[in-house]
Amino acid sequence: MGKSKRNSPKPGGNRAQRLAERRAALQEAEQTVARPFQGLAAECDLVALREFVPSATAELTLTPEIAAERTVVLATVLPGAVAALVRAGDTPTGYVGVQVQAPTADPAADIAASVLWSQSAEPGDSLAVAHAAPGGPALSDVIVADAPLELVVHQDFDWWVPAGVEPDPQVAATIEQAKEAIMPSDRLDLGPEAIGAPWWVDAGEKAHLRWVRPESEDDLMLALARLHAAGGLHLGEGSRFAGSFRTHGLLVPVFDLDPERHVTEWRTPAAEFGDRLAEALAVDSPLTSEQRRSRDGLRSRQVTLR
């Protein structure tokens, strides 16, 4: 009688389940697009809208090739976290959500599919889940790649309901609940030459600045390590470097801020930090031993958002 293989997991056992879950996770990781919004001028803001901005909208600049018949508004999140909807009116308008209930491995392709759906859907229709077909249009085929987002930041979700329309009780209750949970947020305007997307949020006991940067993760980490070793990794008095996010192929430095100071008070300190960071990015010499220690410490404070 042959002996059973020691390394063969028993079907239905805990080990077999763990191995199956690991294989599924590896397959999902292989399918995930590492940097889905790369090549778009709005890449950094798209990452911010998808990951941590609570309420903002922007009208998209659509490409002539899709022969758009309707305006399309990009939104952080739509009622029910649906992928898209068409708002009725004299001129129907499409709305496309970035934070959705069932994201896939390529959020940019899903947004493209939602935009195209919005052009032919009936007013009042909604799209619960957008799954782009393999080989379908890329987001750069649907929106103008070098067009920036003209963002409107909201401190509530009243825009879910058109002006002059009385929402039904369920929608009204949802909006009120969202208002209670929302944290005041704003895009820090550092001028047309600023790089990346710096977003401020008041989280109560602390405020934060999350600055989505377009540089490669490795290059940015080296620059942050140089600044840390030199004592320049801060936004001045009342600030502290808290760590960084890794998401959608980009690195997002995060600073804790004094919540008593208004968002506009951080413009000058942030611009000065941006200048210091640009100088550090331009250095190509090997890291010193002190800078390597800084780099190792900064890496230990990274959090990957999936």
Side-chain angles (χ1 to χ4, degrees), residues 65-88:
E65 288 77 11
I66 68 170
E69 297 182 1
R70 293 173 178 164
T71 297
V72 179
V73 175
L74 187 76
T76 47
V77 64
L78 297 171
V82 298
L85 56 83
V86 176
R87 180 176 288 178

Side-chain angles (χ1 to χ4, degrees), residues 163-188:
V165 174
E166 186 71 24
D168 64 54
Q170 184 176 357
V171 172
T174 301
I175 292 175
E176 286 304 313
Q177 290 175 356
K179 282 183 180 179
E180 293 177 1
I182 199 170
M183 292 185 290
S185 302
D186 208 350
R187 173 73 150 77
L188 201 61

Side-chain angles (χ1 to χ4, degrees), residues 120-237:
S120 58
E122 293 294 323
D125 284 354
S126 63
L127 178 67
V129 178
H131 287 162
L139 188 53
S140 57
D141 297 325
V142 176
I143 67 172
V144 176
D146 59 358
L149 288 179
E150 299 296 334
L151 287 158
V152 178
V153 181
H154 307 274
Q155 304 305 331
D156 53 39
F157 291 95
D158 289 346
W159 55 270
W160 278 359
V161 179
V165 174
E166 186 71 24
D168 64 54
Q170 184 176 357
V171 172
T174 301
I175 292 175
E176 286 304 313
Q177 290 175 356
K179 282 183 180 179
E180 293 177 1
I182 199 170
M183 292 185 290
S185 302
D186 208 350
R187 173 73 150 77
L188 201 61
D189 183 9
L190 302 183
E193 301 303 320
I195 296 173
W199 282 86
W200 170 91
V201 60
D202 183 354
E205 293 185 2
K206 293 180 182 178
H208 308 287
L209 184 73
R210 300 159 175 162
W211 197 331
V212 188
R213 300 288 306 194
E215 297 87 3
S216 76
E217 292 185 50
D218 289 340
D219 289 347
L220 184 55
M221 179 54 66
L222 293 179
L224 294 175
R226 296 181 196 281
L227 289 181
H228 183 270
L233 188 53
H234 59 77
L235 299 183
E237 184 179 354

Side-chain angles (χ1 to χ4, degrees), residues 35-92:
R35 194 168 170 178
F37 303 112
Q38 188 172 19
L40 301 174
E43 178 185 20
C44 293
D45 277 312
L46 286 167
V47 170
L49 295 178
R50 179 163 168 74
E51 292 300 331
F52 52 77
V53 176
S55 184
T57 55
E59 183 177 327
L60 292 174
T61 304
L62 305 182
T63 59
E65 288 77 11
I66 68 170
E69 297 182 1
R70 293 173 178 164
T71 297
V72 179
V73 175
L74 187 76
T76 47
V77 64
L78 297 171
V82 298
L85 56 83
V86 176
R87 180 176 288 178
D90 295 337
T91 304

